[in-house]
Amino acid sequence: MATTLDKVEVVTVGVGWTGGIIAAELAKQGVKVVGLERGKERTTEDFQHIHDEYRYAIRYELMQDLSRETITFRNHRDDRALPMRQLGSFLLGEGLGGAGIHWNGQTWRFLPYDLEIKSMTEKKYGANKLGSDYNIQDWGITYEELEPYFYKFEQTAGISGEENEFSAPRNNPYPNPPMKETPITKRFKDAAKKLKLSPFHMPSGNMSQTYENPDGQTIAQCQYCGFCERFGCEYGAKSSPIVTVIPTAKQTGNFELRTHANVTEVIYDGDKATGVKYIDLQTGEEFIQPADIVVLTSYVMNNSRLLLNSGIGRPYDPESRTGVIGRNYCYQILPGATAFFENEKFNTYMGAGSLGATVDNYNGDNFDHSNVNFIHGGSISTTQTGQRPINNNTVPSDTPNWGQQFKSESIKYYHRNLSIGAQGASMPHRNNYLSLDPDYKDIFGDPLLRLTYDFTEQDRNLHNHLTEKCVEIGKEMGADRVEPREISDHYSIVPYQTTHNTGGVIMGGDPETSAVNNYLQMWDVDNVFVVGASAFAHNGGYNPTGTVGALAYRAADGISKYIKNKGQLVKAAQNSEHV
């Protein structure tokens, strides 16, 4: 039998970037917050002198244990989904700080076009450019409304960067100057300029200098060690929740962190959420934590799964296109090219997660789409994140994948290849969605989340266009051989691609097509806020973290307003048409 605890004002489910931001902002105002994290507590001390590629990048020590909980996957809704038994296409983080521990630090603002994509696309190109099977819709907020929250996150995280003529407009400069120029980033920039493009240094959560944020937390200067992605930073030089918002929340005395607390249900009485039920993974005890406000701040997949398992919100039905929970799941496509050099070597083992150069000329609606059969685009970059020896055996495509020739070519090209890659936007399709699996359950007997997803014609057309641009840049960089990336016939969940999953609990102005308003407050249950990339109505041409951070600060403001006045914070619109 579950033990009922004393009621608190706010409980968060997950303590990463979003849970940490909500906790810090509310606790600073005197609100009592309990943060439930199913993983263990971690600090920078846990990562001292452990540059262990096998442990972290291959065996995934910082990631979710799929033997306890996983997802099931299928390409099409008439297929039977099967469990993902090994991490592959994306990496689900676990533990205090969540994915904010093992991220690379690339921090972008989504474009004004992203937030009003339906309206802007229709105005310029007319309705139905993609066809009726795509659930294209506005986010229910403008860039001007969200801009102060972008800057607030950048101040907290100490983002290093420089101006970019194609980026979302800024009212303030970046808190820190850009990271170092290297021969690789300079080579990319010089080539881009020759092609009449506009290159710039990538905005970075790796500190270009020691930085103290507005809350008084110090983030150290990056050491360019090359161990960012999939690793925790022992220097505290990669901005993360455990060196910023979580310490801030703790210092107020109004925040209580409980680790190993696996939430299984949001308790719902048909009108309001009254709290959450969780299991202590160390003792097996079950608890009920009553709360005035429940904030879901876990990863994209878990936010949707908890709502579906708790009977909150209307599940999305791809046949009728009604319902909202699970709607508009999006991923990202990864066009690009690999440039091989016969007579030049680059120090690719050195680097940082966000050390790179980018062009935005082909992102968003920064170019004319009148004569192409897709919308949006993507950022194109070369990054110097640190090529580690186990995971990097890049060789020309005509090399055998085993044997002496493979070994010798791996050694030869280890420092003689550069990647020019794009992050392509992903548009929502009616048949790409999240739901509960009818057959498979987790260790507690609750249904697993089922992912139904495949590439679309939009994906293929955009992939081909951006790949051509990447090849052009690679050739201009002086490569002896440039090989384009191919897009597979169907999406596979097996090889790693990106951990930029979005959607499922999307925001908007119309309750018929969105689950939360622009404060990320649920339309159906006004004391539940659902924070994270689950709110994205589509995925853009950038890493999502900067936009997630901005939305979290916006949600914190909304929760503060709700504490004072209760009720719905936004008046619902009525417009559910699609592009």
Side-chain angles (χ1 to χ4, degrees), residues 74-76 432 452-456 459-460 489-491:
R74 61 186 181 176
N75 285 125
H76 305 291
N432 291 336
T452 305
Y453 178 76
D454 206 356
F455 295 132
T456 65
D459 292 333
R460 298 180 191 286
D489 291 339
H490 297 283
Y491 166 75

Side-chain angles (χ1 to χ4, degrees), residues 148-166:
Y149 300 105
F150 276 116
Y151 186 58
K152 191 165 187 177
F153 179 71
E154 291 165 354
Q155 285 183 299
T156 297
I159 303 305
S160 308
E162 65 179 349
E163 292 297 325
N164 159 26
E165 65 175 289
F166 286 104

Side-chain angles (χ1 to χ4, degrees), residues 67-301:
S67 70
R68 304 177 65 88
E69 179 190 321
T70 184
I71 67 165
T72 66
F73 165 72
R74 61 186 181 176
N75 285 125
H76 305 291
R77 53 189 166 109
D78 54 354
D79 299 336
R80 182 184 179 186
L82 296 174
M84 180 174 70
R85 299 189 184 277
Q86 292 182 330
L87 289 164
S89 179
F90 41 83
L91 302 178
L92 306 172
E94 185 170 272
L96 187 65
I101 297 296
H102 66 80
W103 73 316
N104 262 331
Q106 298 172 17
T107 310
W108 302 88
R109 299 180 174 194
F110 270 29
L111 300 166
Y113 173 71
D114 283 302
L115 304 181
E116 299 179 88
I117 189 169
K118 179 180 184 292
S119 300
M120 290 186 178
T121 300
E122 286 187 347
K123 182 177 180 180
K124 190 170 181 180
Y125 304 107
N128 298 315
K129 182 170 174 62
L130 291 186
S132 60
D133 282 339
Y134 292 85
N135 295 335
I136 309 298
Q137 58 195 78
D138 294 344
W139 291 33
I141 195 169
T142 66
Y143 177 78
E144 288 73 21
E145 292 174 290
L146 199 54
E147 199 279 338
Y149 300 105
F150 276 116
Y151 186 58
K152 191 165 187 177
F153 179 71
E154 291 165 354
Q155 285 183 299
T156 297
I159 303 305
S160 308
E162 65 179 349
E163 292 297 325
N164 159 26
E165 65 175 289
F166 286 104
S167 72
R170 305 181 58 86
N171 292 329
N172 303 94
Y174 283 100
N176 280 313
M179 300 191 79
K180 293 181 182 294
E181 188 82 272
T182 73
I184 294 173
T185 58
K186 186 176 186 304
R187 176 72 68 96
F188 176 90
K189 289 180 178 179
D190 289 345
K193 289 174 183 176
K194 289 178 182 177
L195 293 170
K196 302 189 184 307
L197 303 175
S198 304
F200 58 95
H201 240 47
M202 176 179 289
S204 170
N206 316 131
M207 297 304 100
S208 60
Q209 59 188 10
T210 301
Y211 173 74
E212 183 177 305
N213 76 11
D215 291 321
Q217 307 300 337
T218 298
I219 315 172
Q221 184 176 5
C222 179
Q223 307 295 306
Y224 297 89
C225 70
F227 285 80
C228 279
E229 142 218 18
R230 307 185 187 183
F231 299 85
C233 180
E234 74 267 40
Y235 299 109
K238 177 173 66 174
S239 191
S240 77
I242 64 171
V243 297
T244 55
V245 289
I246 294 172
T248 296
K250 287 181 175 181
Q251 288 166 9
T252 66
N254 295 318
F255 174 62
E256 180 186 350
L257 170 67
R258 296 182 200 152
T259 55
H260 305 285
N262 193 108
V263 175
T264 58
E265 180 185 352
V266 179
I267 303 171
Y268 175 51
D269 66 8
D271 179 40
K272 303 279 189 184
T274 60
V276 299
K277 183 181 292 184
Y278 72 91
I279 295 173
D280 186 316
L281 296 178
Q282 292 184 309
T283 67
E285 294 176 275
E286 190 172 45
F287 296 94
I288 291 174
Q289 177 59 70
D292 293 324
I293 300 170
V294 174
V295 190
L296 302 189
T297 50
S298 55
Y299 195 64
V300 168
M301 310 295 190

Side-chain angles (χ1 to χ4, degrees), residues 329-340:
Y329 172 81
C330 289
Y331 196 40
Q332 261 182 340
I333 59 166
L334 300 173
T338 304
F340 294 95

Side-chain angles (χ1 to χ4, degrees), residues 18-46:
T18 56
I21 288 170
I22 298 298
E25 291 304 293
L26 296 180
K28 285 189 293 185
Q29 298 169 31
V31 177
K32 298 294 184 181
V33 182
V34 167
L36 301 178
E37 168 57 53
R38 67 180 173 187
K40 64 182 180 180
E41 186 161 7
R42 294 187 296 231
T43 70
T44 54
E45 295 299 315
D46 294 296

